[in-house]
Amino acid sequence: MIRWIRQQLGFDPPHQSDTRTVYIANKFPQHGHYIPQRFADNRIISSKYTIWNFIPKNLFEQFRRIANFYFLIIFLVQVSPDTPTSPITSGLPLFFVITVTAIKQGYEDWLRHKADNEVNGAPVFVVRSGSLVQTRSKNIRVGDIVRVAKDETFPADLVLLSSDRAEGTCHITTASLDGETNLKTHYAVPETAVSQSVSRLESLQAVVECQQPEADLYRYHSQSDHRNPPHTLYHAGVAVYTGMESKMALNYKCKSQKRSAVEKSMNTFLIIYLGILLFEAILSTILKYAWQAENKWDEPFYNQKTDQERNSSQILKFISDFLAFLVLYNFIIPISLYVTVELQKFLGSFFIGWDLDLYHEESDQKAQVNTSDLNEELGQVEYVFTDKTGTLTENEMQFRECSINGIKYQEINGKLVPEGMTEDSPDGSEELFLKAVSLCHTVQISYDQTDGPGDPFSHANGFSPQMEYYASSPDEKALVERYLMTFCLSLGEKVLFTKGAESAVLPYTTSGEIDKTRVHVDEFALKGLRTLVVACRHFSADEYQEVDRRLHEARTALQQREERLVEVFNFIEKDLELLGATGVEDKLQDKVQETIESLRLAGIKVWVLTGDKHETAVSVSLSCGHFHRTMNILELVQQKSDRECAEQLRRLARRYNTLAHPFYTKTVRTFSNQKREWTEQSHGLVVDGASLSLALREHEKLFMEVCKNCSAVLCCRMAPLQKAKVVRLLKTSPEKPITLAIGDGANDVSMIQEAHVGIMGKEGRQAVRNSDYAIARFKFLAKLLLVHGHFYYIRIATLVQYFFYKNVCFITPQFLYQFFCLFSQQTLYDSVYLTLYNICFTSLPILVYSLFEQLVHPHVLQSKPALYRDISKNSLLSFKTFLYWTFLGFCHAFVFFFGSYILMGEDTTLMGNGQVSVSPASLPSSLLFSYSRSCVSVAGLLLC
């Protein structure tokens, strides 16, 4: 505990050097002046509070809200003497709001603690004292040797020592880090790969010298010193980073707090009402002193001042009276607004998960709400940014065509048939291409265990019916499933096979049918196929030895490892012989085209952000309806310099302005929902990643001008960070549009965090964990926005406006009453009314309304997407609408007050104590209780 406190205060930093030395099995040197390094324990902490800091930390966060802090100040003022109302009137509602919010946030944090305890208490096996010991995950220390079995999760960051395979390999997924579920192969160093028993691992004398923890998932530098190279089942690794120093913890980022437009409007309205409150308090104070200018009102016979009151400071008296009026009118600010809004959002979020129309039966996935704070934003979306692969498409690849040695082949009945032929299969001239596809991949084969006797070698050549393929890319899996069983490979020479995008491979090819293959690649892309180019290079024995030596030196370097590896790869991957190209189909998801069309009719612009090549991306955009055939396509691609990019942007802007001129504007006939509509010709923009970087560097405004004039934008060859940059660009534009991003992979996480919505996919769960909402299919987006978003926004907008309206109705009679009691700070309402008005009397009806109200049937909202436009731009919480509700509140308040006054003004009333009272204008205090009860009854009847 002391060490932890010192670390938190900065007196005991855990790292003292740029590198750390890890002694395997914690066998520290027994001689010399060795000082052990201090490392973090293996506990994972994602919770926000502890038992000790929950109360102060939660109170601090709650009182950062304007309304809560305001009522705290009012409560403190009421504690002082000579205030017109009891402190209970503000203290009890404030305590209720703070308590309810604290319970909600405490429950959510308890769930985080529960999840942390499940991780920290998970059983693991470590090698200690010559035996395999079971312990808890949180007890792992840096240097411990950890055993991990098949399908188990790594409890810490491990360096592989050995596995149950003779070659010391293991196949892992990194879904918990980057969302990738495909297998990756890792190798143990030869010196430790032979240690496949607990005893030999225990006797291992070795040291790992590595860098200090950093967040980069793909960078790790280390060297090992094996002093006593000495067989484990499963995989064994030594822990080098633990707990909050592991890669996963360092990459865990608390998402920035996303505030909805409704919440921003609420804060603005609160400030305006605070101004109204200050105005009423100042005006009442001034009028009080103006009225008391006459002696008969300043010191009447029935209320003589004391000498202390006569001699007190006029400034202090003015401040005291001002504070008293402030307390008297303070309920114009609705204290229970925040807690009612939070309750409405929390309860309302269940409707998304309960909606069977958003349930995907095949994957047994229902819609998921990770945060309820942004429900109403679903009804305000103006831009949708979507990934292509796995989001618009199924991410299930099927081989369709290939190009080998300049000849195009198609798959017909399981055979490769040259173009224009129907029977002959490929001859021996294509063998090298097939060898390349069969070898150049990361596919792993898993064999299911079958009961009963059988030939143990039946699957040796890949013919077992129980085989299952695992690959780092669905493209590779589709190709290998097609080709892997074709040949029993035996190469008697050193050959380098390489495979990748044509932009990455073709520039390094010097032989082969380059021009023909390039044409075939473009044809594949126009058909919407994903393309890969295959090439090779032959090495002599001497060249291979040189390559092997240089690779080993670069891979074992602790400094500038990436730069040295790039240098070696550039040396290797040159003078390539082009073998051919492949075309793989990724099918569209169901109802993608209908969904995009509905979004367009709702006034939502759709941007597709993908890493695919230009031709493939355009073809898929056309097939899914993102681009339509009558659309004028503008292109910003293959720009080489800032000057060239700027000139192209100016040409696009001029072209758009020319096409938008009435003389050039054409109307085209489109069909939507089986109804004929006439629309002006729209424009689509295609941008590639390189050109986008140039455009955003110095020509951002010009680029945004072109984009905003286009109804659809397609960005291809995009890097993950570029996706987030594009979303941020739109969010920070002067119009401040509401954006929504959808993606299924870890490469979409940064984009999703910039916007609001994530969609479940097949590339892991990282995108879902980082999203605010998750749906299993793109087609569900239409109902999520057009129905749920529409309902959420209307309901909460009405709730917010009603809260301000009813408080104006409630407190304005208190202000008017002061004109009838000589501004003596008499209260019109009993303390019970002041305390329970917002909490009980008027909260439940509007809460029920805000949960269940449906102004339009859901089927109508889906069949007429244009209704979504009616609530865009935060129209129901605009300043004009706010003024209307406020004006309506003041008008009704006058009706409440003067209506009650006229009904009771001339009547005499027999009080419970036998006294007879007259109108409130003559004797204000006598009719106070009955008159206030009348006002509240009238107000409550009309408001509820």
Side-chain angles (χ1 to χ4, degrees), residues 574-818:
K574 65 180 181 179
D575 300 328
L576 299 176
E577 176 187 353
L578 182 60
L579 299 178
T582 61
V584 176
E585 180 186 19
D586 187 6
K587 291 185 177 180
L588 286 176
Q589 289 187 14
D590 185 33
K591 294 185 178 179
V592 168
Q593 187 170 0
E594 292 86 342
T595 302
I596 292 179
E597 181 63 22
S598 294
L599 296 179
R600 182 180 289 116
L601 292 175
I604 301 173
K605 292 185 177 182
V606 179
W607 289 31
V608 176
L609 313 181
T610 178
D612 279 350
K613 69 190 301 287
H614 172 211
E615 293 82 3
T616 305
V618 171
S619 177
V620 173
S621 285
L622 288 170
S623 63
C624 72
H626 179 239
F627 287 168
H628 54 78
R629 301 293 174 181
T630 59
M631 183 178 287
N632 180 53
I633 305 298
L634 311 176
E635 291 189 349
L636 181 66
V637 296
Q638 297 180 353
Q639 304 301 303
K640 305 299 183 183
S641 63
D642 286 338
R643 180 179 179 182
E644 182 181 347
C645 181
E647 183 59 31
Q648 177 65 7
L649 283 171
R650 295 189 188 98
R651 283 196 294 267
L652 294 177
R654 288 195 298 268
R655 185 179 179 188
Y656 171 79
N657 291 331
T658 301
L659 291 172
H661 193 277
F663 180 78
Y664 294 97
T665 299
K666 299 184 298 182
T667 57
V668 295
R669 186 173 298 175
T670 62
F671 293 90
S672 174
N673 301 323
Q674 299 180 351
K675 294 183 179 180
R676 181 174 296 176
E677 297 178 356
W678 292 88
T679 61
E680 289 189 353
Q681 183 182 25
S682 56
H683 306 270
L685 177 65
V686 182
V687 189
D688 62 13
S691 303
L692 179 67
S693 298
L694 295 174
L696 297 184
R697 187 181 301 171
E698 295 181 1
H699 316 293
E700 184 176 301
K701 291 184 178 179
L702 187 57
F703 175 72
M704 287 301 301
E705 179 185 348
V706 174
C707 288
K708 290 178 181 178
N709 289 325
C710 296
S711 58
V713 177
L714 170 63
C715 299
C716 55
R717 287 302 190 207
M718 293 280 287
L721 289 180
Q722 283 184 313
K723 294 184 177 183
K725 216 177 262 189
V726 170
V727 178
R728 191 181 307 117
L729 179 67
L730 265 294
K731 282 179 60 179
T732 56
S733 62
E735 294 81 6
K736 299 286 192 268
I738 304 300
T739 61
L740 178 150
I742 307 176
D744 71 323
N747 60 334
D748 301 314
V749 167
S750 56
M751 175 180 72
I752 290 171
Q753 288 179 335
E754 279 293 332
H756 305 126
V757 181
I759 183 172
M760 300 181 188
K762 299 181 180 180
E763 296 297 321
R765 302 280 299 178
Q766 191 75 355
V768 177
R769 286 194 296 268
N770 286 275
S771 64
D772 301 293
Y773 304 88
I775 50 180
R777 281 296 183 269
F778 184 81
K779 64 180 181 180
F780 296 154
L781 185 62
K783 185 170 186 181
L784 184 66
L785 300 185
L786 304 183
V787 177
H788 289 285
H790 195 281
F791 285 155
Y792 283 138
Y793 178 74
I794 288 181
R795 292 165 178 172
I796 200 166
T798 306
L799 170 67
V800 171
Q801 297 281 31
Y802 179 82
F803 253 89
F804 288 103
Y805 156 80
K806 69 183 180 66
N807 276 45
V808 167
C809 291
F810 179 60
I811 228 58
T812 301
Q814 179 76 77
F815 172 70
L816 297 175
Y817 182 63
Q818 297 306 304

Side-chain angles (χ1 to χ4, degrees), residues 283-335:
L283 179 63
S284 298
T285 306
I286 294 174
L287 290 177
K288 175 181 180 179
Y289 281 89
W291 198 285
Q292 291 179 352
E294 299 183 31
N295 291 332
K296 65 176 181 177
W297 301 120
D298 182 41
E299 191 175 354
F301 70 93
Y302 56 83
N303 190 19
Q304 295 287 322
K305 294 182 179 179
T306 64
D307 293 337
Q308 182 179 1
E309 291 174 335
R310 294 191 186 98
N311 299 327
S312 61
S313 171
Q314 292 297 317
I315 296 177
L316 292 178
K317 288 173 61 179
F318 185 90
I319 295 175
S320 177
D321 287 329
F322 169 74
L323 292 177
F325 281 115
L326 202 65
V327 169
L328 195 63
Y329 305 146
N330 79 88
F331 279 93
I332 196 173
I333 306 294
I335 185 173

Side-chain angles (χ1 to χ4, degrees), residues 505-514 535-536 574-578:
V505 177
L506 288 180
Y508 301 98
T509 58
T510 57
S511 61
E513 297 291 343
I514 299 176
C536 72
K574 65 180 181 179
D575 300 328
L576 299 176
E577 176 187 353
L578 182 60

Side-chain angles (χ1 to χ4, degrees), residues 45-275:
I45 302 174
S46 64
S47 55
K48 191 175 182 179
Y49 305 105
T50 66
I51 295 178
W52 311 108
N53 70 8
F54 174 76
I55 293 179
K57 191 173 183 179
N58 185 264
L59 289 178
F60 173 76
E61 292 179 350
Q62 291 207 54
F63 283 116
R64 292 173 63 183
R65 282 181 166 174
I66 297 175
N68 291 346
F69 183 74
Y70 161 77
F71 273 95
L72 176 63
I73 298 299
I74 293 297
F75 172 74
L76 296 178
V77 171
Q78 285 181 302
V79 173
S80 62
D82 295 333
T83 54
T85 58
S86 169
I88 297 178
T89 59
S90 293
L92 188 60
L94 179 63
F95 176 78
F96 173 79
V97 171
I98 295 297
T99 302
V100 171
T101 305
I103 292 174
K104 174 180 175 289
Q105 295 178 352
Y107 172 74
E108 293 175 347
D109 200 63
W110 175 78
L111 294 179
R112 288 190 285 267
H113 273 280
K114 185 178 179 181
D116 289 345
N117 291 335
E118 290 179 0
V119 175
N120 296 327
V124 295
F125 288 91
V126 298
V127 178
R128 289 179 184 170
S129 303
S131 62
L132 201 59
V133 179
Q134 182 176 356
T135 185
R136 294 183 177 182
S137 175
K138 65 180 180 181
N139 296 328
I140 294 177
R141 301 168 298 179
V142 172
D144 278 344
I145 299 176
V146 183
R147 190 203 75 173
V148 182
K150 180 182 178 182
D151 297 331
E152 287 186 353
T153 303
F154 292 110
D157 289 353
L158 308 178
V159 171
L160 180 63
L161 297 177
S162 64
S163 73
D164 56 352
R165 295 172 178 257
E167 64 273 19
T169 61
C170 71
H171 310 296
I172 68 170
T173 69
T174 55
S176 60
L177 287 176
D178 58 8
E180 294 290 342
T181 59
N182 303 300
L183 288 178
K184 299 170 180 63
T185 304
H186 289 257
Y187 300 85
V189 295
E191 290 82 358
T192 62
V194 296
S195 300
Q196 293 183 313
S197 67
V198 174
S199 59
R200 300 194 71 172
L201 284 170
E202 176 66 21
S203 61
L204 182 63
Q205 298 285 338
V207 177
V208 176
E209 186 83 14
C210 62
Q211 65 199 85
Q212 294 290 3
E214 64 173 37
D216 192 336
L217 298 177
Y218 309 105
R219 189 161 107 161
Y220 171 75
H221 296 167
S222 68
Q223 285 183 338
S224 56
D225 178 13
H226 310 284
R227 304 177 180 179
N228 182 24
H231 280 267
T232 62
L233 299 176
Y234 312 101
H235 307 313
V238 58
V240 291
Y241 305 131
T242 53
M244 301 308 292
E245 292 181 346
S246 63
K247 295 284 187 182
M248 181 182 67
L250 292 175
N251 276 274
Y252 174 77
K253 297 179 181 179
C254 293
K255 292 184 293 185
S256 58
Q257 184 66 31
K258 297 177 181 179
R259 297 172 57 206
S260 67
V262 170
E263 186 176 351
K264 296 176 183 177
S265 298
M266 284 169 50
N267 291 336
T268 302
F269 298 163
L270 281 173
I271 293 175
I272 294 176
Y273 269 59
L274 185 60

